[in-house]
């Protein structure tokens, strides 16, 4: 048994990653969001787009050749199509003075995570370059709630579940020192204290001029506010459960963020 540490619980993972990438030379491994690339690009939600807006220089690598070709056609440069575990691909990246190497929501898809992380570790400048990976958490609340219905709620392409112990073990066995760990969640955490603010808020975006069929306000409360109130009431049991569980440990979160550096000493 391992005593879990106290780590920060973040709302989502992107804010931390973009903050760490700002003004730095970044290598984004798995830069193509396969299956959702075009949709997310059109909505400007693709992580590679967001990184390009903050990094001083951005490189990307992915085994999805069509996706890499699409990104190149959109004006992105420093793109490499291929597996970084293959010596020719690794050689093209070796020697680049990256400040940050990212592999977000990638490792769980791979047949050999250790081989991948060892290749990534070889691109780190000891004492300087950070590696950040993110992985889904085996004990996330949503997964456990679905298990009560006899359903495993998991991406069909995932090969692994990770926990604090297994994820940190994986990095260490790949030749990395783990310097920071965060948990992150997409689940609502607020319980009763926010109910009054949400239900009593009177402001709502004005309805478009053509929306003549919308119901009128009831006792000064807009229909938009009523819908939000109903949604909040429906989500309240999960909010209360999450609030109670997060008081025990942040490791009920949806995923984990691990920061590693090249090992500079023997274990």
């Amino acid at each position: 048994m391992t005593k879990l540490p106290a780590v920060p619980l973040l709302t989502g993972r992107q804010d931390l990653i973009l903050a760490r990438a700002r003004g730095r030379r970044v290598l984004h491994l798995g830069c193509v969001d396969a299956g959702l690339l075009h949709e997310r690009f059109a909505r400007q939600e693709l992580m590679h787009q967001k990184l390009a807006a903050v990094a001083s220089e951005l490189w990307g690598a992915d085994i999805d050749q069509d996706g890499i070709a699409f990104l190149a056609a959109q004006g992105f440069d420093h793109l490499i199509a291929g597996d970084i575990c293959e010596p020719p691909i690794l050689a093209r990246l070796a020697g680049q003075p990256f400040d940050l190497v990212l592999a977000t929501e990638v490792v769980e898809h791979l047949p050999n995570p250790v081989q991948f992380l060892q290749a990534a570790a070889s691109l780190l400048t000891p004492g300087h370059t950070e590696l950040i990976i993110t992985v889904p958490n085996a004990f996330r609340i949503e997964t456990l709630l679905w298990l009560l219905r006899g359903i495993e709620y998991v991406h069909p392409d995932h090969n692994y579940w990770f926990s604090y112990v297994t994820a940190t073990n994986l990095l260490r066995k790949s030749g990395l020192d783990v310097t920071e760990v965060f948990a992150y969640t997409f689940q609502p955490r607020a319980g009763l204290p926010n109910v009054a603010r949400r239900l009593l808020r009177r402001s709502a975006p004005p309805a478009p001029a053509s929306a003549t069929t919308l119901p009128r306000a009831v006792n000064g409360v807009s229909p938009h506010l009523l819908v939000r109130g109903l949604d909040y009431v429906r989500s309240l049991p999960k909010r209360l459960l999450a609030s109670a569980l997060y008081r025990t440990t942040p490791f009920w979160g949806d995923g984990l963020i691990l920061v590693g550096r090249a090992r500079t000493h023997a274990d």
Side-chain angles (χ1 to χ4, degrees):
M1 291 186 291
T2 299
K3 177 67 175 177
L4 292 173
V7 304
L9 178 64
L10 310 178
T11 300
R13 61 180 181 268
Q14 292 195 5
D15 288 348
L16 173 69
I17 292 168
L18 294 174
R20 294 291 176 97
R22 185 171 299 278
R24 306 176 82 186
R25 298 186 79 244
V26 178
L27 171 60
H28 185 198
L29 302 176
C31 61
V32 174
D33 198 338
L36 295 171
L37 172 62
H38 296 84
E39 177 183 347
R40 288 188 172 170
F41 187 89
R43 297 200 305 253
Q44 297 186 332
E45 294 176 352
L46 192 69
M47 175 62 83
H48 205 67
Q49 287 173 291
K50 296 180 179 182
L51 288 169
V54 299
S56 63
E57 183 173 309
L58 178 62
W59 290 59
D62 202 290
I63 61 172
D64 186 340
Q65 295 190 10
D66 291 339
I68 289 291
F70 172 81
L71 290 177
Q74 307 307 313
F76 291 94
D77 53 12
H78 301 308
L79 295 171
I80 296 176
D83 186 344
I84 69 161
C85 296
E86 297 175 358
I89 302 297
L90 197 59
R92 291 178 62 185
L93 294 168
Q96 291 293 335
F98 295 117
D99 303 310
L100 177 65
V101 176
L102 293 174
T104 58
E105 308 301 287
V106 171
V107 176
E108 64 274 10
H109 293 270
L110 303 176
N112 193 331
V114 170
Q115 184 184 28
F116 171 84
L117 288 172
Q118 286 175 337
S122 72
L123 299 173
L124 309 183
T125 302
H128 176 71
T129 314
E130 289 183 329
L131 170 70
I132 297 181
I133 73 164
T134 71
V135 292
N137 178 27
F139 303 115
R140 61 180 181 175
I141 295 171
E142 194 75 17
T143 298
L144 300 179
L145 291 176
W146 278 102
L147 279 176
L148 294 175
R149 308 180 191 180
I151 295 171
E152 183 173 353
Y153 184 68
V154 62
H155 191 292
D157 190 51
H158 286 186
N159 296 318
Y160 308 95
W161 279 116
F162 289 102
S163 67
Y164 168 78
V165 172
T166 61
T168 53
N169 278 346
L170 178 67
L171 264 66
R172 293 188 182 105
K173 290 178 180 179
S174 302
L176 294 156
D177 286 329
V178 180
T179 58
E180 294 177 276
V181 178
F182 304 85
Y184 70 84
T185 180
F186 299 123
Q187 301 297 324
R189 288 183 281 158
L192 288 173
N194 284 336
V195 172
R197 284 204 302 269
R198 288 177 176 266
L199 295 184
L200 296 178
R201 188 189 306 144
R202 289 295 189 266
S203 60
S210 60
T212 56
T213 59
L214 286 176
R216 295 182 177 180
V218 178
N219 294 329
V221 180
S222 77
H224 301 283
L225 185 58
L226 292 173
V227 170
R228 289 201 302 271
L230 289 173
D231 288 343
Y232 187 83
V233 169
R234 282 194 292 266
S235 71
L236 189 56
K238 183 185 290 187
R239 287 175 179 273
L240 294 174
L241 174 62
S243 180
L245 291 176
Y246 284 132
R247 290 193 188 98
T248 65
T249 177
F251 289 105
W252 298 107
D254 292 288
L256 306 173
I257 302 171
L258 297 100
V259 183
R261 290 184 180 269
R263 185 166 295 159
T264 56
H265 59 275
D267 283 341

